[in-house]
Amino acid sequence: EAQVLVLRGAPAAVAKARLLVMEATSGGKGFGKGMADELGGGAGGSEGVCKWFAAGFCRNRAQGGSCRNGLHDGAAAREAEASWVQLGPAVGTVEAKTRPVLLLLDLEGGGNADGRDGEDEIIEVPVLAMCSATGRELGRFHRFVRPGYWDREAASMRRRFHRDCFNGESSSEPFPVVISSLLAWMGALLAVPPDGLRPEDFLFVTCGNWDVKTALPRQCAKPVPGTVDWTIQRLLFSRWCNLKDAFRDHFKLSPKDAPTGMRGMLKRLRIRLSGPHHLGME
């Protein structure tokens, strides 16, 4: 006889409860095909949220509630963000056994240096912390970022674009504020005050060099060099690990045979890709 389980509560709590129920009913063998996609990885369900609209603006007007990038739904974007963070352990509840702590980073936006209307700026900063000794997750950080151009040119953009392109419910923050929040989160993670952080305590891990080598320093200089303090930049972005290089070295692959991106690495490891590929939370 079929049974129905009803979950009630805050969206983040419901998402976490659903994840636990699915894990329990799968017999401890992990999710079956489609289960993780049903949750959408905590990022807006099977369709996913539009990262641009989540950050506050998308030039592509929604048709039927979505553009080609995903849902134009401010509430869904906030719930997706909260659910994704809540799926990780609360900061301080799992202790790292060694240093450096690995900080898995996958920025979104900022890839078009010649982009107009703020499309040259970072719009999402997700970080997942992991113990380099045990592989255990330590916590999650996430912010949608509001490009400075959108604030400086707000009146002009409102004249040029339809009101449906704007998300008045966005939780996004200016990039310097996001960096300050990231420092505070890292301090709590490592049980030190933010001004006590040392470069050897953490290591950003990215799929390529672009995030830390190019995108973050470029964003720190918008609209002028030094918008983010140089000392903070040297602390955070002076070193990183390129996962593609580590993958190639670990499997002793030649540059010709090594995967060039995340999909290729997942395929070699026989891990199915779940969730939208170009949403940082995924």
Side-chain angles (χ1 to χ4, degrees):
E1 182 180 352
Q3 296 180 328
V4 177
L5 175 63
V6 178
L7 300 173
R8 295 188 176 92
V14 170
K16 191 166 187 176
R18 289 182 68 197
L19 194 67
L20 293 172
V21 169
M22 284 183 168
E23 186 172 10
T25 56
S26 69
K29 298 180 180 179
F31 299 146
K33 181 175 176 60
M35 287 187 176
D37 287 337
E38 181 186 344
L39 281 176
S46 58
E47 190 170 6
V49 298
C50 170
K51 59 191 175 186
W52 289 98
F53 191 78
F57 166 78
C58 177
R59 67 171 59 251
N60 303 307
R61 287 183 61 186
Q63 301 293 328
S66 302
C67 74
R68 63 190 182 195
N69 295 316
L71 291 171
H72 279 207
D73 187 325
R78 294 196 310 275
E79 291 173 9
E81 181 176 52
S83 296
W84 185 80
V85 172
Q86 290 293 326
L87 287 174
V91 170
T93 59
V94 180
E95 182 181 358
K97 300 299 183 183
T98 188
R99 298 287 190 273
V101 166
L102 304 181
L103 301 178
L104 283 62
L105 171 69
D106 184 20
L107 300 175
E108 293 297 334
N112 184 3
D114 299 320
R116 62 191 191 281
D117 300 321
E119 293 171 350
D120 60 333
E121 300 193 44
I122 292 169
I123 58 168
E124 186 184 5
V125 178
V127 182
L128 187 150
M130 179 180 295
C131 176
S132 55
T134 66
R136 294 188 64 185
E137 183 178 344
L138 306 174
R140 302 183 181 193
F141 173 90
H142 187 277
R143 293 291 190 279
F144 285 111
V145 185
R146 185 172 67 253
Y149 180 93
W150 295 354
D151 290 334
R152 296 191 301 274
E153 301 293 331
S156 171
M157 291 183 67
R158 290 283 180 177
R159 288 194 301 268
R160 292 185 290 120
F161 294 98
H162 193 277
R163 63 184 181 183
D164 290 348
C165 293
F166 299 90
N167 176 11
E169 300 179 359
S170 175
S171 62
S172 62
E173 299 174 343
F175 184 74
V177 175
V178 171
I179 291 297
S180 294
S181 298
L182 176 62
L183 282 170
W185 176 81
M186 290 170 60
L189 184 75
L190 295 164
V192 299
D195 59 5
L197 290 169
R198 303 173 303 167
E200 58 266 29
D201 289 334
F202 58 89
L203 180 66
F204 282 107
V205 179
T206 60
C207 190
N209 294 318
W210 176 82
D211 298 72
V212 182
K213 182 179 181 179
T214 303
L216 285 168
R218 189 165 64 197
Q219 185 68 53
C220 288
K222 291 182 179 294
V224 295
T227 294
V228 173
D229 185 85
W230 297 106
T231 302
I232 293 175
Q233 293 189 50
R234 285 192 293 270
L235 168 68
L236 292 179
F237 312 133
S238 60
R239 66 176 194 154
W240 66 93
C241 170
N242 181 344
L243 185 60
K244 291 188 284 189
D245 290 343
F247 190 94
R248 184 185 65 241
D249 292 344
H250 177 77
F251 288 102
K252 297 179 173 58
L253 301 173
S254 68
K256 179 182 177 181
D257 295 330
T260 58
M262 182 182 70
R263 289 181 183 274
M265 289 187 285
L266 289 175
K267 183 177 180 180
R268 186 178 181 90
L269 295 171
R270 298 182 180 179
I271 298 175
R272 183 172 62 90
L273 175 65
S274 175
H277 182 30
H278 286 295
L279 182 66
M281 287 184 283
E282 299 301 333

